[in-house]
Amino acid sequence: MTTSTHDEILVGAIAIRPRIEPAETDGVIAIHEFDVPAGTSLPIPHSHDAYEETIYGVKGTVTFTLDGTPCDIGPGATLFIPREAIHAFANTGHVDATALAIITPGLLGADYFREVAAVLDAAAGGPPDLAAIGDVMRRHGLTPAT
């Protein structure tokens, strides 16, 4: 049985709280809880090369765009994101949102979020180095959409 707590990681305005890390399950699953403040979006659409992602809405609404189709994920709603499906998300509403990301197999851990946060922090509020973010993404099995 795995029960653990992990530090919150701020990636821009998005707060990520790893709940189960890949090493805790021998890579079977990883779970991350994340907060998306109202008016916040993920600026780089991407796909995953070697894992699926399932999103479970906890509070508020996050709109995922999956292969060009928008899907609102509110409390209790789920969205399955298959490998290689291009997706991104945004909270276009007026209420902060929280969701869970369930990664199977568990190949995406907190190190990815820490590395992206470091690139954003290095920009000191200016435009981030998108090439550096792309490098971090590819190193962790994500492919930025072109």
Side-chain angles (χ1 to χ4, degrees), residues 2 8 11 13-14 23 28 36 45 49 57 59 72 81-82 95 97 101-102 109 113 117 123 129 133 135 143 145:
T2 300
E8 183 173 87
V11 179
I14 299 170
V28 173
V36 184
D49 303 332
K59 74 174 189 175
D72 291 337
I81 303 170
V95 176
I102 300 127
F113 301 108
D129 183 342
I133 290 175
D135 289 343
T143 300

Side-chain angles (χ1 to χ4, degrees), residues 39-104:
T40 301
S41 65
L42 177 72
I44 301 176
H46 64 279
S47 60
H48 308 140
D49 303 332
Y51 56 86
E52 291 80 26
E53 182 175 21
T54 301
I55 304 299
Y56 176 81
V58 176
K59 74 174 189 175
T61 300
V62 180
T63 301
F64 277 77
T65 301
L66 178 61
D67 285 334
T69 302
C71 182
D72 291 337
I73 304 299
T78 57
L79 175 67
F80 176 73
I81 303 170
R83 295 174 197 206
E84 301 181 5
I86 295 173
H87 60 285
F89 63 84
N91 180 348
T92 59
H94 300 290
V95 176
D96 295 347
T98 299
L100 293 175
I102 300 127
I103 310 297
T104 52

